[in-house]
Amino acid sequence: MKTSLLEQGQYNEAADHGEGVVIDLVDVTYAVMGANKRPKRLLKNVSLTFKAGTMCALMGPSGAGKSTLLDFVADRKLDGMFAGDVLIDGKLRTDRFRLRTAYVLQDDVHIATLTVEEILYYSVWTRVPEAKTKEQIQARVDQLLHMLGIEHIRNSIVGDSLRKGISGGQMKRLSIAVELCSLPDVIFLDEPTSGLDSSISLEVMSSVRNVTGKNRLCVSTIHQPSPEVFALFDKLVIMCAGRLVWYGNTMDAVTHFTSPALGYRYVAGTNPAEFVIAVGGGTQPPEGQSKPRSANELENLYKCSRYYQPPALSAKDLSGAQAVEDEGPALPTTDVMTQTKMLLSRTWLAKIRDWPDVRAQLLKNVLIGILIGIVFSGQGDASSPLYTPYGVPSSEVTNVSSLLFFSLMFTMVGNMQAIPYLASQVIIYRRELAANAYVTFPFWIAQSVTTLPMMTLNNFLFVIFMYFQVKFPNNGDYFFYYLFSLLFANIISFYSAMWLAAATGNEQVAFALFPLMFLFTANFSGFAITVDSVPPFWSFGPYLSYGRWLYEGLMVNEWEMFDTDDQAVPTNNGNVLAEYDFENFDKNHSFWIGLLYIMGFSVLTYYAMLPPRKRLMQMKQDDMATVAPHSIYEGNNIRASSLSPFRQSTVGGGAGGAPRMSLARGPSMSEGCVLAFKNVVYEVPNREFSRSKAPGPNNRESLRLLNDVTGVIQPGQMCALMGASGAGKSTLLDVLAQRKNTGTITGEITYNGSSLLTSSAYVMQDNVHVGLLSVRQNLYFAAQLRLPEHWDKAKKEQRVNKILDMLGRVIYFGRVNECVAYFHQSPYAFPYKPNSNVADYIIAVGGGFLAAGDGRKITGDELAEYYQSQVKNQKPHMVFSPDASSSNPMLAGKSTTTSAKTKDQEETEALAMLKYNTSTMHQLKTLCHRLLLKTARDRRATVVATMRHIVVGLFYGSLYFQLSTSGSAAYTNRLGLFFFTMMFMVIGHQQSIPAIMDDRLIFYRERGSKAYGAFSYWMSLWLVQVPLVIVNAFVYTFIVFFMVGLENSSHTLSFFLYFIVMTSCTGYFIANLMAAISPSTQAALSYYPIVLFMNVSFSGFLVYIPNFPDWLGSWAPYLSFMRYAFQGMTLAEFNGNSDLPNGSTYIDTLGFDGLDINTCAGVLFLWFVVFMFSFLGALKFFDFEQR
């Protein structure tokens, strides 16, 4: 058993060695099911051995199979089929192998509100079984911080894309530290240096090298490492089209490929990593050949070489492999109680640190409590008689019943923030579950339990601010029953939303389904339609609605105080409860039934959270031989499309698949810009500043991130901003690019002597694009928005093609110093000035900034064709002696062109003086085109929205099928239909909130680059999305109108359709407004109910307008847009309807006699305009991207 000094609370790195492990792959083939239902091979007959104490790199071009191999060896593949064997220390691999491994994902996802030290502390808590005390856990945390060089940021908030936190390099090292906390025997890393500069990459991989040297094995995919990082690896695996074309010592790879049998040429001094990737990727043919070798050839040549080592065990040897005892599943190394304690602590700390969300929750409950208290002021104190002399319930009965339902309805709607919260935790949960940090049960417990304290507080605040205003009975039993009934409703609502998020696995789908659940629960609660009035085919509905049982309990709690034995007295509660079919119900049963709902949704959520089952099937090698290969690089020839993967591919995630950028002809000549900055100082407020402490180095009101920075960057130069992680290089870049929107900047920054930045491009670290569009389409729309508007389509298309060529056409491959000779002594004779910067010269030629010796402009196609001819004719690169007579005026600080400005340069300067690059009309046309294309690609969201309207329309059509025209139900059922139709039209648009949140980063980036402004973006949503909203409203209207049997006249239909359409469009812009003014999705979902219930309260349904106090009723109902929609539909149906003779009486009772239907239609349109332009203002003035 391994001995650790962990129990002593200290670490000695030299003494903490791994146990060692040997991994053998024997003839492994792996395949997945393709889109055509045919399996495709991704790995083909791979055999190799990984030994402890070595650091192995998996390399190859995009699609070569290196990530697939990494996942398969690490036992992370859950689907597919494989043949062959994986042996661990000579025994067949079992599930418990994962306990000895660490897997570092490429994506860095952490809880944004925690510090670096807290992230590591919680990771060590459950992954290191020896760490039983806080001191022991802290000791391992300190070791990890030191190991990865992040001690100086231990107290820094991690942050995310919107909240400023640690830098990208620091984030990557934190991700590695999290997975290394148990110091495992095997370390798997997926692109660990992605996004890091060469210096930080070397530091990170050196740390991993140090850990590997202690008898541990490290296997890592890596893309274009520097020579220093490449040299850290002991072993190298090169994959090509799923085949193993090299495995051996890292430094022997170049020798193998340059052997006479393979015939590749390697130029000494160049990066060997780039050489082996070029060979494996098919971008470099052997000497004397015009085409690269195929994967089959490379594999066969490797197996025939002296470097090939056949597996120690063959498939024949394993035919009777030892029966390995079943060691059981791979379970975490700590017990469930420890896991639960950790997750409870971490989840709770993350929740209370998310102050915007906490503040939004508190504000929502306080404001809604006050609002309901005002609306129902003094109306909770019901008294006898409960009925009028005509046997009609008094207004007190109606108002109290509405008040109880309204407060219950708030709990049903107010917990949708569970959906985005759980969705944000899924990535971390899946990663830690795969790492055996814990099992599902403690995570489920933590997510369920940590919400209860804040929920209880919010529920208490809501009740307190509302209870005494409405003057409910001053009775302790009544108060606590009401309090706990609403708490139960909150918990059930939250757990049901959490179940939707877990079950669907998609935030927008969960939002689309939530209104269906709300409408089902609310409609069968017994308020709008009594239990006995439900149609027979929906008779099960009230029994499945948790709202029915809680509302029934609240009603019994209210009206049981008026109980009397004399049934002849029309004031007893029996009559009131009988009106709602709630008689003979024990109110305490609602708690037991509510508890069953809580348990039911909790169990459903738990099962939805369970990880997917492993469906990886093992097959015989003979069966796998019939599986179709999956590679464009499988045969003897490479398809041309494989060399230009940018052109038709769809934008996806990860940078690993991007091809290496080569020098190419640039799209245009630049005038050049001298960037000068002097004594630049940048400061931000210090969050940890305390006025109670004496000022000092550690207690300053502001933090200085840049201190008197001075420099000059000349045109034609490529300047690198370098430094340690957190040194301020990204801060300086943002300041010089005028991208900072926080803090204070002092000093002088000029661009060609002016403070105006006339022309610039800013490439952000985060690759945020419209993922549903192809690379060409993203570039096309960027060109439409950023290039001069009067350029014709062909010219813009030409610019896009040149950019694609720049990214994909190879015009030179070899040593840098020979590159100068290559271009200078080529037929184009590009002039070179002795002692000038070689890099500047290369960029000038490849970027098209330098004319040929005869003054001609050489295109990228010409340079690429010349290079290919040199390769084909086997002409070696020439040795170069600089010609003293040649010169390069551009690199000497002078322009290669005349001093006169070109037309394009004048256009660029003119555009810089404008706010945006193109006119508003052009921006609008382009954005609409892009949004239409995106909407067409994202069919699921469109189909789900339409299907939701169809399903709800059929639901209401069947629930209110062919409404009666006699009795009070003929009127109340119609009013209920109108009200819940409005609720659906508004609530259904909450799924727009996460969609707007996803688009915000793209909007911020493109607005910052002057591509377009808030108005154009706003109008594009208006023109593209609003028609879809209208179509869905039409679908719903025609289904409901004819099924429920409303007055069959064109007048009623047209107004009914109008009010539904306008309500839906207004609800759409309200949802977008909440997204635009909120820092997060959860905060937006907390603010949304405030606006919703302010409008619902004064709509005239729950409380009739004449029942409001005079000081409130004289103005508040006029501020509710839902009042005009509800009143308009009521007037359209009740006025002049011969089937409803008492329609005018109900109109008077509701207080709808003051405005005619045309006025309601006009005012509703005005409210639509108000919310529409409020959204525009929010886009213009709210910016949550902190730079």
Side-chain angles (χ1 to χ4, degrees):
M1 182 176 178
K2 181 165 56 177
T3 302
S4 173
L5 300 179
L6 183 62
E7 298 176 358
Q8 304 174 16
Q10 55 184 342
Y11 284 89
N12 183 341
E13 293 189 40
D16 196 4
H17 281 58
E19 294 180 350
V21 65
V22 177
I23 303 176
D24 290 292
L25 272 69
V26 182
D27 210 18
V28 169
T29 299
Y30 173 75
V32 296
M33 195 64 66
N36 58 357
K37 304 301 181 182
R38 294 184 59 191
K40 298 178 180 180
R41 288 184 295 171
L42 304 182
L43 297 177
K44 309 172 186 72
N45 305 104
V46 177
S47 296
L48 48 80
T49 299
F50 297 115
K51 295 183 179 180
T54 61
M55 190 168 170
C56 180
L58 303 184
M59 298 182 66
S62 177
K66 54 186 183 295
S67 295
T68 302
L69 178 60
L70 182 76
D71 289 342
F72 185 83
V73 176
D75 196 20
R76 295 297 177 110
K77 285 295 183 185
L78 300 178
D79 297 298
M81 57 199 78
F82 77 99
D85 294 283
V86 181
L87 284 78
I88 309 300
D89 293 332
K91 297 182 180 180
L92 293 175
R93 183 181 64 186
T94 66
D95 289 341
R96 295 186 63 82
F97 167 68
R98 297 172 70 174
L99 298 177
R100 304 174 64 183
T101 68
Y103 191 102
V104 182
L105 294 170
Q106 183 176 359
D107 296 326
D108 304 315
V109 181
H110 302 284
I111 300 176
T113 55
L114 299 185
T115 65
V116 170
E117 185 174 28
E118 288 165 347
I119 292 288
L120 289 175
Y121 188 91
Y122 287 120
S123 297
V124 172
W125 194 342
T126 57
R127 300 195 195 192
V128 183
E130 309 98 302
K132 295 181 171 60
T133 66
K134 293 182 179 180
E135 291 76 16
Q136 293 169 346
I137 296 175
Q138 188 62 49
R140 175 59 63 89
V141 171
D142 292 339
Q143 181 190 20
L144 293 168
L145 291 169
H146 174 72
M147 182 187 302
L148 274 301
I150 51 178
E151 293 172 296
H152 61 293
I153 58 167
R154 67 191 308 154
N155 295 320
S156 300
I157 295 295
V158 173
D160 55 20
S161 58
L162 290 178
R163 282 173 282 205
K164 188 69 174 178
I166 60 178
S167 66
Q170 294 165 344
M171 187 80 78
K172 175 61 68 177
R173 284 185 282 172
L174 173 60
S175 298
I176 296 175
V178 165
E179 301 303 327
L180 293 183
C181 62
S182 62
L183 298 180
D185 294 322
V186 186
I187 305 168
F188 297 102
L189 301 103
D190 185 15
E191 301 282 359
T193 60
S194 178
L196 305 182
D197 59 51
S198 58
S199 175
I200 300 302
S201 296
L202 182 60
E203 290 180 11
V204 169
M205 298 312 296
S206 296
S207 300
V208 177
R209 168 81 262 182
N210 184 42
V211 176
T212 305
K214 302 186 179 73
N215 203 29
R216 290 186 172 84
L217 166 65
C218 171
V219 182
S220 172
T221 59
I222 194 163
H223 184 69
Q224 289 187 331
S226 66
E228 294 79 9
V229 171
F230 187 69
L232 292 174
F233 290 94
D234 304 296
K235 298 288 185 179
L236 173 65
V237 171
I238 302 177
M239 299 296 297
C240 183
R243 298 185 180 276
L244 180 67
V245 300
W246 168 259
Y247 174 61
N249 294 331
T250 302
M251 296 308 166
D252 290 339
V254 173
T255 305
H256 166 68
F257 287 117
T258 55
S259 64
L262 280 88
Y264 289 94
R265 183 175 184 272
Y266 171 72
V267 180
T270 58
N271 189 343
E274 293 189 1
F275 170 73
V276 297
I277 291 177
V279 172
T283 59
Q284 179 174 343
E287 288 283 324
Q289 298 184 25
S290 60
K291 297 180 180 179
R293 297 187 186 276
S294 70
N296 281 335
E297 288 182 284
L298 292 172
E299 181 187 36
N300 293 331
L301 288 169
Y302 163 62
K303 289 184 176 180
C304 294
S305 71
R306 61 189 177 92
Y307 297 103
Y308 175 66
Q309 296 180 351
L313 295 174
S314 65
K316 182 178 180 180
D317 297 327
L318 291 168
S319 59
Q322 310 100 314
V324 181
E325 294 184 5
D326 187 5
E327 300 174 338
L331 299 176
T333 55
T334 52
D335 57 69
V336 174
M337 184 59 68
T338 301
Q339 300 165 29
T340 304
K341 289 180 180 178
M342 184 279 286
L343 287 166
L344 284 172
S345 176
R346 186 180 72 177
T347 308
W348 173 249
L349 182 61
K351 281 182 177 291
I352 62 175
R353 286 270 184 85
D354 192 0
W355 175 240
D357 181 49
V358 173
R359 178 179 56 197
Q361 288 288 327
L362 294 173
L363 187 63
K364 174 188 70 177
N365 284 273
V366 170
L367 290 181
I368 297 295
I370 294 174
L371 174 65
I372 295 179
I374 293 174
V375 172
F376 293 92
S377 178
Q379 299 185 38
D381 185 18
S383 60
S384 297
L386 303 181
Y387 287 81
T388 66
Y390 303 100
V392 178
S394 67
S395 60
E396 290 182 335
V397 172
T398 304
N399 290 340
V400 171
S401 300
S402 298
L403 169 58
L404 296 176
F405 176 73
F406 191 26
S407 56
L408 188 64
M409 189 171 63
F410 167 63
T411 66
M412 298 177 190
V413 178
N415 288 288
M416 278 189 298
Q417 71 273 8
I419 295 176
Y421 176 75
L422 188 64
S424 67
Q425 299 294 308
V426 165
I427 297 178
I428 298 174
Y429 164 67
R430 296 296 183 193
R431 182 191 69 197
E432 294 179 331
L433 201 66
N436 289 292
Y438 47 77
V439 293
T440 301
F441 180 78
F443 179 82
W444 167 69
I445 287 291
Q447 297 301 314
S448 302
V449 172
T450 53
T451 60
L452 297 180
M454 288 301 300
M455 190 180 298
T456 303
L457 173 62
N458 288 325
N459 182 70
F460 180 77
L461 291 173
F462 168 73
V463 171
I464 287 297
F465 278 93
M466 177 266 296
Y467 191 91
F468 297 104
Q469 287 189 84
V470 302
K471 294 185 179 180
F472 271 136
N474 191 15
N475 179 291
D477 292 340
Y478 186 99
F479 172 81
F480 284 107
Y481 186 92
Y482 182 77
L483 177 70
F484 284 107
S485 292
L486 294 189
L487 179 60
F488 268 62
N490 269 300
I491 296 173
I492 298 172
S493 176
F494 187 90
Y495 285 2
S496 65
M498 195 160 61
W499 167 64
L500 281 178
T504 60
N506 184 285
E507 192 174 357
Q508 291 200 25
V509 174
F511 274 116
L513 294 178
F514 188 88
L516 304 182
M517 180 178 291
F518 162 75
L519 293 172
F520 182 90
T521 302
N523 279 277
F524 289 122
S525 63
F527 176 75
I529 301 179
T530 60
V531 175
D532 289 345
S533 300
V534 173
F537 44 85
W538 284 111
S539 58
F540 63 91
Y543 296 95
L544 296 181
S545 169
Y546 70 86
R548 174 261 175 101
W549 303 107
L550 293 172
Y551 183 59
E552 188 169 1
L554 289 171
M555 290 288 284
V556 172
N557 186 54
E558 171 66 31
W559 303 116
E560 70 179 359
M561 296 181 296
F562 298 91
D563 194 15
T564 175
D565 294 333
D566 188 359
Q567 296 298 313
V569 179
T571 58
N572 69 80
N573 76 302
N575 287 346
V576 175
L577 295 178
E579 290 277 347
Y580 293 90
D581 303 316
F582 289 161
E583 67 272 25
N584 303 321
F585 179 74
D586 186 345
K587 66 178 183 181
N588 294 317
H589 289 172
S590 63
F591 289 127
W592 294 107
I593 297 173
L595 187 61
L596 289 176
Y597 274 97
I598 291 174
M599 295 172 60
F601 280 120
S602 297
V603 171
L604 289 174
T605 303
Y606 172 75
Y607 278 102
M609 286 181 175
L610 289 174
R613 292 184 178 181
K614 192 173 184 178
R615 296 186 295 271
L616 185 64
M617 300 182 297
Q618 187 168 11
M619 303 174 64
K620 294 181 179 180
Q621 197 67 250
D622 293 340
D623 296 332
M624 293 295 289
T626 62
V627 174
H630 176 53
S631 176
I632 59 176
Y633 189 39
E634 181 67 20
N636 294 324
N637 297 315
I638 304 175
R639 294 211 305 250
S641 60
S642 67
L643 300 179
S644 302
F646 278 110
R647 291 193 177 273
Q648 297 299 332
S649 59
T650 300
V651 175
R660 179 174 57 87
M661 186 178 72
S662 306
L663 297 176
R665 175 71 169 88
S668 64
M669 187 77 68
S670 171
E671 180 192 2
C673 174
V674 178
L675 171 58
F677 45 100
K678 182 179 180 181
N679 298 331
V680 173
V681 175
Y682 176 69
E683 296 180 330
V684 295
N686 184 4
R687 297 178 181 176
E688 300 179 0
F689 172 71
S690 175
R691 296 188 182 278
S692 61
K693 298 180 181 179
N698 298 323
N699 188 39
R700 294 177 177 174
E701 193 167 353
S702 61
L703 297 176
R704 181 167 293 190
L705 304 185
L706 297 178
N707 189 13
D708 292 325
V709 180
T710 300
V712 177
I713 304 174
Q714 297 289 344
Q717 293 181 339
M718 188 173 178
C719 178
L721 303 183
M722 299 182 65
S725 184
K729 51 186 182 294
S730 296
T731 301
L732 178 59
L733 182 70
D734 288 341
V735 169
L736 296 180
Q738 296 186 0
R739 292 299 178 113
K740 281 295 182 186
N741 56 16
T742 59
T744 303
I745 302 173
T746 59
E748 183 180 355
I749 304 176
T750 60
Y751 313 89
N752 280 341
S754 170
S755 61
L756 177 64
L757 182 56
T758 58
S759 178
S760 70
Y762 188 97
V763 181
M764 301 178 68
Q765 182 177 3
D766 297 326
N767 300 316
V768 182
H769 303 284
V770 181
L772 294 169
L773 304 184
S774 69
V775 173
R776 173 178 287 278
Q777 288 168 336
N778 273 279
L779 286 175
Y780 168 80
F781 288 115
Q784 289 290 328
L785 292 168
R786 304 187 192 203
L787 295 179
E789 183 177 343
H790 65 271
W791 284 18
D792 58 25
K793 184 177 180 180
K795 190 172 183 180
K796 292 179 180 178
E797 186 71 19
Q798 184 182 17
R799 173 67 61 88
V800 171
N801 288 333
K802 288 185 176 181
I803 293 174
L804 288 170
D805 287 341
M806 181 177 67
L807 297 176
R809 298 295 296 273
V810 178
I811 65 171
Y812 176 79
F813 183 85
R815 292 182 61 182
V816 173
N817 61 337
E818 291 189 4
C819 181
V820 175
Y822 173 80
F823 287 121
H824 180 72
Q825 298 184 6
S826 70
Y828 308 113
F830 290 102
Y832 176 79
K833 183 178 180 179
N835 300 321
S836 60
N837 191 312
V838 175
D840 286 343
Y841 176 76
I842 296 172
I843 294 297
V845 173
F849 307 129
L850 183 62
D854 58 2
R856 292 187 301 122
K857 294 181 179 180
I858 308 302
T859 66
D861 289 339
E862 290 178 287
L863 290 173
E865 289 173 4
Y866 174 70
Y867 173 72
Q868 292 298 326
S869 68
Q870 296 298 294
V871 173
K872 184 175 182 179
N873 296 328
Q874 309 176 50
K875 292 185 179 181
H877 299 316
M878 295 168 283
V879 179
F880 172 62
S881 296
D883 183 0
S885 64
S886 64
S887 62
N888 186 346
M890 191 197 83
L891 298 178
K894 301 178 181 179
S895 174
T896 57
T897 62
T898 62
S899 58
K901 296 178 181 178
T902 66
K903 182 179 180 181
D904 287 353
Q905 292 166 359
E906 292 176 350
E907 291 172 351
T908 301
E909 284 195 358
L911 286 173
M913 303 302 293
L914 300 174
K915 191 171 184 179
Y916 300 108
N917 299 337
T918 56
S919 67
T920 300
M921 186 58 66
H922 182 81
Q923 298 168 23
L924 185 58
K925 178 181 176 181
T926 304
L927 289 172
C928 286
H929 184 191
R930 186 172 74 176
L931 186 55
L932 281 170
L933 188 59
K934 177 184 174 183
T935 303
R937 293 276 178 87
D938 189 15
R939 295 188 184 92
R940 182 172 63 176
T942 305
V943 171
V944 166
T946 303
M947 288 302 301
R948 185 178 68 238
H949 283 76
I950 294 174
V951 169
V952 175
L954 293 174
F955 170 68
Y956 278 134
S958 60
L959 188 62
Y960 295 94
F961 186 73
Q962 295 302 310
L963 287 169
S964 171
T965 57
S966 61
S968 61
Y971 303 92
T972 57
N973 286 346
R974 281 172 169 78
L975 295 177
L977 171 65
F978 299 157
F979 174 76
F980 283 108
T981 292
M982 290 192 309
M983 290 292 295
F984 168 63
M985 288 299 153
V986 177
I987 293 177
H989 290 298
Q990 288 185 108
Q991 73 178 96
S992 299
I993 292 176
I996 292 294
M997 290 292 183
D998 291 341
D999 284 346
R1000 279 205 312 197
L1001 282 178
I1002 298 177
F1003 169 68
Y1004 290 154
R1005 184 195 68 185
E1006 294 181 329
R1007 182 180 62 180
S1009 63
K1010 300 171 65 175
Y1012 55 83
F1015 178 80
S1016 299
Y1017 177 74
W1018 169 78
M1019 277 297 296
S1020 68
L1021 292 176
W1022 201 100
L1023 294 175
V1024 175
Q1025 295 295 342
V1026 171
L1028 297 177
V1029 172
I1030 294 175
V1031 168
N1032 289 331
F1034 265 72
V1035 171
Y1036 172 87
T1037 300
F1038 283 99
I1039 292 175
V1040 171
F1041 186 86
F1042 294 104
M1043 286 187 68
V1044 302
L1046 298 179
E1047 184 185 16
N1048 191 14
S1049 69
S1050 58
H1051 173 271
T1052 303
L1053 175 60
S1054 59
F1055 273 108
F1056 188 68
L1057 177 62
Y1058 172 82
F1059 287 114
I1060 290 178
V1061 168
M1062 292 309 303
T1063 302
S1064 186
C1065 292
T1066 306
Y1068 171 75
F1069 280 107
I1070 290 176
N1072 287 354
L1073 173 63
M1074 294 300 103
I1077 66 174
S1078 303
S1080 66
T1081 303
Q1082 290 130 292
L1085 292 173
S1086 295
Y1087 294 138
Y1088 188 83
I1090 298 175
V1091 178
L1092 173 64
F1093 280 94
M1094 286 180 65
N1095 285 277
V1096 169
S1097 300
F1098 301 107
S1099 64
F1101 176 72
L1102 297 172
V1103 178
Y1104 298 163
I1105 292 177
N1107 292 340
F1108 286 114
D1110 291 340
W1111 68 270
L1112 186 64
S1114 60
W1115 61 273
Y1118 295 98
L1119 300 181
S1120 169
F1121 81 91
M1122 295 181 74
R1123 174 262 176 98
Y1124 300 100
F1126 182 59
Q1127 181 171 342
M1129 286 188 284
T1130 302
L1131 293 175
E1133 175 67 9
F1134 286 10
N1135 267 339
N1137 190 342
S1138 59
D1139 293 331
L1140 300 173
N1142 296 325
S1144 58
T1145 303
Y1146 273 85
I1147 290 174
D1148 293 340
T1149 303
L1150 292 168
F1152 289 168
D1153 53 339
L1155 298 175
D1156 60 28
I1157 192 170
N1158 293 315
T1159 303
C1160 291
V1163 177
L1164 179 59
F1165 179 78
L1166 290 178
W1167 275 114
F1168 163 71
V1169 173
V1170 167
F1171 283 112
M1172 186 172 62
F1173 280 98
S1174 296
F1175 174 48
L1176 172 61
L1179 289 174
K1180 190 174 183 64
F1181 298 108
F1182 284 79
D1183 189 347
F1184 293 98
E1185 184 188 29
Q1186 297 181 0
R1187 297 197 66 86

